[in-house]
Amino acid sequence: MDTSVPDGLRAAVERTWGAEIAAVEPLAGDASSRSYLRLRLRDGGPPSVVVMVLADSALPLSSEELAVFSEPLTELPYVNVDRFLRPLGMRIPDLYYDGQKEGFLLLEDIGDTPLREAAQAGSAADTEALYRQAIDQLLLLQISGTRKRDSTCIAFQQRFDRRLFAWEFEHFVEWGLEKRTGRPLPEADAKVLRPLFEDIAGRLDRAPAFLNHRDYHSWNLFVHDREIRVIDFQDALLGPATYDLATLLNDRDTPAVIAPDLEHRLVEYYYDAWHQAGGDPLSHDTVWHEYNLCLLQKACKVVGRFYYLELEKHKTGYSRYIPPTLATIRRVLERLPEYRPLQDIVARHFPQAER
C-alpha cells in the first residue's frame, strides 16, 4: 500500500467499503485552496473515488468576501449545501464519507471531462445539447431550490447584495486598474467609473433573488455517462436569476465555444424553460437586460480576480484569460449603451485589448 496515504484516509476507506487503496493520483485543482486526489481501490467499493483534501481549518467561511456569518460555522459549507441539493434531484457527486473533522471528504469519481472540453470535442448540435442540460440543472437549483428554502442551509443566509456587488467592482478597480499599474485610478476616471458601478450594483440588488450556485462555469460542470454533473457548489447563495446563466455562457474562455448566435439561443431556451417550469413571471426584456448586467458585473470582477491571483497569490496562468474577458466587456457594453462611458476607460487602461 502507498505509505504516503494518511492513516485516517486509509482507515476511512476500510470502514466504508472494506477496501484497500491500490494507487493514489493527484488531480489538477483551480483557484481554491483545496486539493484533490483520486484513489484506486481494490477488494471492495467503487473502482475509484475522489478525495477533497481540506486546507488549514476544515471549516472555512466560504469565500473570503462572503464572510457574513455572525457565529463560527459548525459544518463545512460543502456538506451543508450538499445535504440541501441532493433531495432536489441535482446531479452532484455522491458524498461517500464525511471526514471534515479529519480534513477530507470522500466523493464519487465523476471522471475528467469538464463541460468545456466535452463541448470542444463534439459537434455544434452536441454542444448546444450539453449546454441545455446544464441550463436544466440550473433551473432545478433556481426554481425548485428557491421554493424549498431551508433556513438551515447556509446558501439562504447569504445574498448577492449591493455590498457584495460593490466589493467585486472594487476588486476590479484595485487589482485590474491600480495594483496592476502601481498607480492610483485617475480622479477623472473615478468620477465616471464609480457612479456607473454603483448604479449597476443597485439595480442587481433590487432584482428578485433566487438560489444561485455562484460559480456555475464550465469547469465546475462535468460530463459523466452523458449527463451533466455539478461540483463546487459550496458558495451557493441568493442572487439575480440570470447571474449563473451569465457565468455559464461567458466563463473565462467560453467565447471559443459559445458564439453570439448560440448565446442568444441558449438565453431564449433558459427563458422558455424557466416559464415552462413554473418560475416566477419574468418578462423577456427583464431577463435579457438583467443577464447583460450580470455579465458585465461578472466580467469586471473576473479581470480583477485574475490579476489578484497572479499578483498577490502568485498563481500563474490566469492572465491569459484576461483578453477574452475584456472582449466580453466590450461586447456587452454594445448592448448596454447607458454604460458605454466604461468602454472608454477600459480602452485607455487596457490598450492591448483594443488591438
Side-chain angles (χ1 to χ4, degrees):
M1 183 176 293
D2 190 323
T3 57
S4 67
V5 176
D7 289 342
L9 184 55
R10 200 161 46 233
V13 169
E14 185 174 350
R15 284 198 303 272
T16 304
W17 296 289
E20 292 188 350
I21 299 173
V24 181
E25 304 166 5
L27 297 176
D30 203 341
S32 76
S33 58
R34 298 177 300 277
S35 59
Y36 295 86
L37 304 170
R38 173 175 284 122
L39 305 183
R40 304 288 180 182
L41 305 185
R42 64 184 174 212
D43 301 330
S48 62
V49 299
V50 168
V51 185
M52 179 193 292
V53 182
L54 309 175
D56 303 321
S57 166
L59 292 175
L61 287 175
S62 301
S63 295
E64 58 191 278
E65 66 272 22
L66 288 181
V68 297
F69 305 108
S70 58
E71 300 290 335
L73 294 181
T74 59
E75 184 176 39
L76 191 70
Y78 182 96
V79 174
N80 179 279
V81 178
D82 173 280
R83 186 169 56 249
F84 176 78
L85 295 183
R86 199 163 297 283
L88 298 180
M90 292 284 295
R91 296 178 189 143
I92 59 179
D94 285 341
L95 174 58
Y96 292 137
Y97 181 85
D98 178 3
Q100 57 187 289
K101 293 182 180 178
E102 300 156 83
F104 61 86
L105 304 178
L106 292 179
L107 305 171
E108 178 187 4
D109 187 352
I110 57 171
D112 299 302
T113 309
L115 171 59
R116 173 73 169 80
E117 292 184 3
Q120 281 186 306
S123 67
D126 292 337
T127 295
E128 184 164 354
L130 286 172
Y131 275 88
R132 287 186 175 214
Q133 271 199 55
I135 289 172
D136 292 341
Q137 285 292 293
L138 175 57
L139 291 174
L140 188 60
L141 170 73
Q142 293 187 325
I143 296 176
S144 296
T146 303
R147 284 176 178 162
K148 296 180 179 179
R149 178 187 298 261
D150 182 345
S151 62
T152 66
C153 176
I154 65 169
F156 294 98
Q157 300 171 33
Q158 25 188 25
R159 176 174 176 167
F160 237 131
D161 56 10
R162 183 190 297 266
R163 176 194 66 86
L164 183 50
F165 285 125
W167 187 96
E168 293 193 340
F169 275 133
E170 195 59 34
H171 208 54
F172 170 79
V173 173
E174 179 182 5
W175 291 97
L177 300 180
E178 296 184 330
K179 292 194 174 178
R180 175 180 65 89
T181 62
R183 298 188 301 272
L185 181 67
E187 184 177 353
D189 287 346
K191 286 182 176 179
V192 173
L193 196 61
R194 287 200 162 94
L196 289 177
F197 285 166
E198 177 63 23
D199 180 75
I200 296 170
R203 290 192 185 200
L204 293 178
D205 177 74
R206 293 188 295 272
F210 300 89
L211 188 59
N212 275 255
H213 180 287
R214 197 200 178 195
D215 291 308
Y216 204 73
H217 54 73
S218 61
W219 300 104
N220 281 338
L221 301 169
F222 276 60
V223 180
H224 183 246
D225 292 338
R226 299 184 179 182
E227 291 188 340
I228 293 292
R229 306 294 295 276
V230 182
I231 67 170
D232 274 7
F233 41 75
Q234 61 277 346
D235 285 337
L237 79 175
L238 296 170
T242 55
Y243 183 85
D244 277 348
L245 182 66
T247 301
L248 173 66
L249 303 185
N250 297 273
D251 72 11
R252 61 195 186 197
D253 55 3
T254 310
V257 173
I258 305 293
D261 60 337
L262 178 55
E263 178 193 19
H264 280 82
R265 289 202 304 276
L266 290 172
V267 173
E268 291 295 319
Y269 177 79
Y270 174 89
Y271 174 78
D272 291 340
W274 174 280
H275 289 279
Q276 289 170 10
D280 291 356
L282 295 173
S283 74
H284 188 278
D285 288 347
T286 296
V287 169
W288 180 242
H289 190 257
E290 187 181 289
Y291 166 82
N292 281 289
L293 286 180
C294 288
L295 174 51
L296 177 58
Q297 190 277 333
K298 178 84 173 185
C300 289
K301 176 267 180 92
V302 165
V303 170
R305 195 64 176 173
F306 286 168
Y307 276 116
Y308 169 79
L309 290 171
E310 291 264 358
L311 298 174
E312 179 71 8
K313 295 298 186 180
H314 308 293
K315 294 187 176 184
T316 60
Y318 288 94
S319 59
R320 71 181 184 272
Y321 299 119
I322 292 172
T325 307
L326 291 169
T328 295
I329 292 174
R330 293 198 309 274
R331 175 167 55 85
V332 74
L333 285 172
E334 294 295 328
R335 304 171 181 169
L336 298 170
E338 64 269 39
Y339 300 110
R340 287 290 292 278
L342 175 57
Q343 183 70 279
D344 295 333
I345 295 175
V346 170
R348 283 198 299 275
H349 287 269
F350 300 95
Q352 73 277 14
E354 297 298 312
R355 295 172 188 166

